[in-house]
Amino acid sequence: PQKWVGSSVALGYDSGALPPRSKDESAIRSTVLVNIFDWGRSELNTIDKMQHMTAEEQKDRATFWGYYKGGIERLGWTSARTYLHRFGNADQWKEVTLTIYDFDAMSKDDYMGSVVVPVEETDVTEVKLGNNKGRETDATLTYSLHYRPLPSGSRLKGTWRVVIKSAKNLPNMDDQSVSDPYCVVKALSADGNHCFEQVTRVIHNDLNPVWEETLDLPLAADADALKKALEAGKAGLSEGNLDLFHLLPRGASEGTALRSATVSTIRSKETHDPGFIEWSSRLAA
């Protein structure tokens, strides 16, 4: 057990193909890059050191090792659902919710207005924003939405390009200064199984911000591509009929939708995500 306090992990990988499980461990390890950095107050424990520690010290190392392993499991959870929600939809995106928040570094981000728009060809359009009670306000958001096909043979057949251009007449949510708005683009698939968020940059001290940012809603060419890749990579991993695809979190409910890490964590509802608990228990099994 290691007491890695404040350490971070970086994974380098090639997403082109999974390594064949028929190779020996040394061959697979030679193609995987894992870096542990930001050593901070961490230490490298060994079997010999562990044997000479007191029972209290051994318990302390085991506790912190559990924290670290939990972080790795969370990394796996986030990576899996990131791919599934963003690149696993081969059907259609149903609607996009455009919501503007005021970024606050020390408190919950303030809601400034939102609008739900259909996923369809839309030239530059200015729309009214609603408040938190659903009533239309004087605040507006200007955007456009166009479909862009991608070359045949690629993993994606196309992408809907959402251009968040600007907003006007936003309400000021700060008492001592001017709000710092950013726009959250939340996409929901037609079948309800895929949902993820993207955000624009924060514009400081401006109630009429101009973003001019393009965000993509990709469509997969093959709905089963990810499942096929997992099936091809499980050889040698298990003697039984292990369905690796069922390790991936699915569903567009608030608890499992992919939320942007740049959105205020205070506003996030995923601190005790039941999907992650299930993910961890499946890995342990």
Side-chain angles (χ1 to χ4, degrees), residues 192-228:
N193 286 330
H194 303 87
C195 183
F196 75 99
E197 290 184 355
Q198 300 178 79
V199 299
T200 66
R201 70 187 187 280
V202 175
I203 303 294
H204 296 287
N205 301 323
D206 198 338
L207 300 181
N208 298 283
V210 177
W211 290 287
E212 291 290 349
E213 292 192 33
T214 301
L215 305 174
D216 285 293
L217 310 179
L219 287 173
D222 182 2
D224 296 323
L226 182 57
K227 185 173 183 179
K228 292 174 182 176

Side-chain angles (χ1 to χ4, degrees), residues 73-232:
E73 290 177 353
R74 171 66 71 169
L75 176 63
W77 157 268
T78 302
S79 300
R81 70 173 183 165
T82 295
Y83 191 95
L84 181 66
H85 280 275
R86 185 160 185 170
F87 301 111
N89 179 27
D91 183 14
Q92 181 57 282
W93 295 106
K94 176 183 177 182
E95 62 186 26
V96 176
T97 302
L98 308 175
T99 307
I100 299 180
Y101 290 92
D102 168 33
F103 175 77
D104 291 315
M106 303 302 294
S107 62
K108 179 181 178 181
D109 292 351
D110 298 311
Y111 175 91
M112 302 181 77
S114 67
V115 62
V116 179
V117 299
V119 178
E120 60 187 19
E121 289 288 337
T122 307
D123 291 330
V124 177
T125 301
E126 185 177 32
V127 291
K128 292 274 191 179
L129 297 178
N131 59 22
N132 55 9
K133 295 182 179 179
R135 297 174 182 172
E136 194 174 273
T137 67
D138 292 331
T140 64
L141 175 68
T142 300
Y143 79 101
S144 66
L145 185 58
H146 294 287
Y147 182 73
R148 179 185 181 186
L150 296 178
S152 175
S154 66
R155 295 186 180 184
L156 302 176
K157 60 184 176 184
T159 180
W160 283 95
R161 312 210 79 181
V162 185
V163 180
I164 304 298
K165 301 186 74 66
S166 61
K168 293 180 180 179
N169 303 320
L170 295 177
N172 189 21
M173 310 304 295
D174 293 339
D175 295 330
Q176 305 297 325
S177 62
V178 179
S179 293
D180 309 311
Y182 65 92
C183 185
V184 177
V185 178
K186 181 177 180 179
L188 177 66
S189 64
D191 60 10
N193 286 330
H194 303 87
C195 183
F196 75 99
E197 290 184 355
Q198 300 178 79
V199 299
T200 66
R201 70 187 187 280
V202 175
I203 303 294
H204 296 287
N205 301 323
D206 198 338
L207 300 181
N208 298 283
V210 177
W211 290 287
E212 291 290 349
E213 292 192 33
T214 301
L215 305 174
D216 285 293
L217 310 179
L219 287 173
D222 182 2
D224 296 323
L226 182 57
K227 185 173 183 179
K228 292 174 182 176
L230 291 172
E231 286 293 321

Side-chain angles (χ1 to χ4, degrees), residues 73 237-238 242 247 277-285:
E73 290 177 353
L237 184 63
S238 173
L242 178 63
L247 291 176
I277 296 175
E278 182 185 3
W279 166 270
S280 301
S281 64
R282 287 182 178 180
L283 289 180

